[in-house]
Amino acid sequence: MRCEICGKKIVGKPLKTKIDSSVMEVCRECSKFGKIIREPTTPRKKSFRKPQKRSRRPMDTVYEVVEDYGRIIRTEREKRDWSREDLAERINEKVSVINRIESERMEPDIKLARKLERLLKIKLLEKFEADDLEKSEGGGFRGATIGDIARIKRG
Ligand SMILES: [Zn+2]
């Protein structure tokens, strides 16, 4: 093995070095011209996946609407003496949507739930970390999408 830069015979293992945009196997002297990619002594155990920080990634977060959302919304609306029409107007939705949500025939989606939370100063969404779900349900969710998790959870 000879150094790709100076042509000198390399004693031991060559150093993979990134110089400009190309990777070359060079001697220790020439490796100073670039950035050493991997020390040759590193064991090649790790697979070539991008390192990912698993914790607190936003995509791992699942929101669930609280159980008695309908009752909560109705109570808060009535406290303010609003009709369903009033509430619908304030969040820019149809009255039929409010009807279905208050009778819990329809769960508000995250966007709508957030609007209601802000307007009524209530808490409608519960936050789950996907990691928690994996633990509490005995695993097997690796690779499942958030949609899958939500479906499984609701049964
Ligand atoms: Zn060299």
Side-chain angles (χ1 to χ4, degrees):
M1 181 72 219
R2 284 179 183 276
C3 170
E4 287 181 42
I5 291 180
C6 67
K8 243 184 4 195
K9 200 164 185 208
I10 296 170
V11 184
K13 284 182 180 169
L15 293 165
K16 267 203 170 138
T17 304
K18 191 167 180 177
I19 295 163
D20 291 330
S21 58
S22 51
V23 177
M24 297 197 231
E25 299 197 321
V26 302
C27 68
R28 188 162 285 281
E29 274 301 302
C30 295
S31 70
K32 287 173 190 160
F33 299 122
K35 192 170 179 282
I36 298 171
I37 289 175
R38 184 171 56 79
E39 288 290 340
T41 48
T42 309
R44 303 185 62 179
K45 257 185 198 164
K46 278 175 189 165
S47 61
F48 243 82
R49 282 171 52 200
K50 277 186 188 167
Q52 287 180 333
K53 280 180 187 159
R54 276 197 58 78
S55 56
R56 304 288 169 249
R57 265 187 304 156
M59 64 176 291
D60 276 338
T61 306
V62 178
Y63 287 96
E64 285 269 312
V65 178
V66 295
E67 241 170 62
D68 46 358
Y69 60 92
R71 188 186 54 79
I72 296 169
I73 293 163
R74 198 184 60 236
T75 308
E76 287 299 318
R77 177 176 60 75
E78 287 170 350
K79 258 197 228 169
R80 289 164 174 76
D81 214 15
W82 294 344
S83 65
R84 285 181 176 179
E85 284 81 1
D86 291 332
L87 180 59
E89 217 172 276
R90 277 166 208 268
I91 59 167
N92 229 353
E93 292 290 342
K94 292 186 187 126
V95 183
S96 62
V97 172
I98 305 298
N99 283 335
R100 270 180 287 163
I101 290 174
E102 284 195 1
S103 58
E104 295 184 8
R105 275 176 292 147
M106 183 189 107
E107 251 183 38
D109 61 25
I110 308 256
K111 222 173 114 195
L112 184 51
R114 285 223 187 285
K115 267 200 263 182
L116 287 162
E117 280 186 327
R118 273 200 297 272
L119 179 67
L120 300 170
K121 311 253 188 305
I122 51 175
K123 193 168 156 28
L124 288 178
L125 291 170
E126 275 177 325
K127 200 166 135 184
F128 290 92
E129 302 292 332
D131 280 354
D132 296 343
L133 293 178
E134 279 178 23
K135 266 178 239 146
S136 62
E137 309 208 7
F141 286 98
R142 238 165 262 283
T145 64
I146 288 168
D148 287 331
I149 293 166
R151 230 184 353 266
I152 293 160
K153 264 188 73 67
R154 288 202 187 108

XYZ file of all heavy atoms in Angstrom, residues 3-8 10 26-31, ligand 1:
96
model
N 0.998 5.557 -0.291
C 0.215 6.778 -0.065
C -0.239 7.362 -1.400
O 0.549 7.457 -2.343
C 1.069 7.793 0.687
S 0.318 9.405 0.776
N -1.471 7.737 -1.485
C -2.016 8.240 -2.743
C -1.559 9.658 -3.039
O -1.795 10.179 -4.119
C -3.548 8.185 -2.707
C -4.076 6.763 -2.834
C -5.597 6.714 -2.823
O -6.221 7.567 -3.473
O -6.138 5.822 -2.162
N -0.967 10.296 -2.063
C -0.502 11.658 -2.314
C 1.001 11.683 -2.612
O 1.428 12.113 -3.668
C -0.837 12.587 -1.135
C -2.365 12.788 -1.086
C -0.137 13.937 -1.300
C -2.834 13.690 0.019
N 1.793 11.168 -1.681
C 3.232 11.289 -1.876
C 3.853 10.015 -2.458
O 4.995 10.020 -2.897
C 3.920 11.664 -0.564
S 3.837 10.358 0.667
N 3.105 8.937 -2.479
C 3.614 7.719 -3.081
C 4.533 6.911 -2.184
O 5.036 5.870 -2.593
N 4.728 7.389 -0.986
C 5.587 6.666 -0.063
C 4.912 5.386 0.404
O 3.691 5.313 0.491
C 5.868 7.555 1.166
C 7.320 7.885 1.288
C 7.711 8.691 2.519
C 6.682 9.015 3.566
N 7.153 10.078 4.467
N 3.362 2.972 2.852
C 2.768 3.232 4.161
C 3.075 2.067 5.096
O 2.821 0.918 4.771
C 1.245 3.431 4.056
C 0.942 4.680 3.214
C 0.618 3.553 5.437
C -0.503 4.841 2.848
N -3.934 7.668 2.636
C -2.635 8.334 2.645
C -1.830 7.958 3.885
O -2.344 7.345 4.817
C -2.810 9.875 2.598
C -3.593 10.294 1.358
C -3.509 10.378 3.846
N -0.575 8.376 3.869
C 0.271 8.148 5.030
C -0.031 9.179 6.118
O -0.770 10.137 5.885
C 1.746 8.224 4.621
S 2.263 9.888 4.148
N 0.546 8.975 7.259
C 0.240 9.864 8.377
C 0.641 11.312 8.068
O -0.075 12.247 8.410
C 0.955 9.353 9.640
C 0.544 10.091 10.902
C 0.892 9.337 12.161
N 0.017 8.203 12.414
C -1.198 8.306 12.943
N -1.705 9.488 13.229
N -1.940 7.236 13.157
N 1.767 11.458 7.386
C 2.236 12.800 7.041
C 1.198 13.535 6.199
O 0.811 14.656 6.489
C 3.556 12.697 6.252
C 4.786 12.604 7.130
C 4.924 13.814 8.051
O 4.988 14.940 7.523
O 4.937 13.618 9.278
N 0.722 12.839 5.160
C -0.189 13.497 4.212
C -1.592 13.666 4.784
O -2.364 14.490 4.304
C -0.265 12.716 2.910
S 1.311 12.700 2.037
N -1.926 12.888 5.789
C -3.265 13.017 6.370
C -3.460 14.398 6.979
O -4.569 14.848 7.196
C -3.487 11.936 7.435
O -2.688 12.216 8.573
Zn 1.950 10.560 1.943
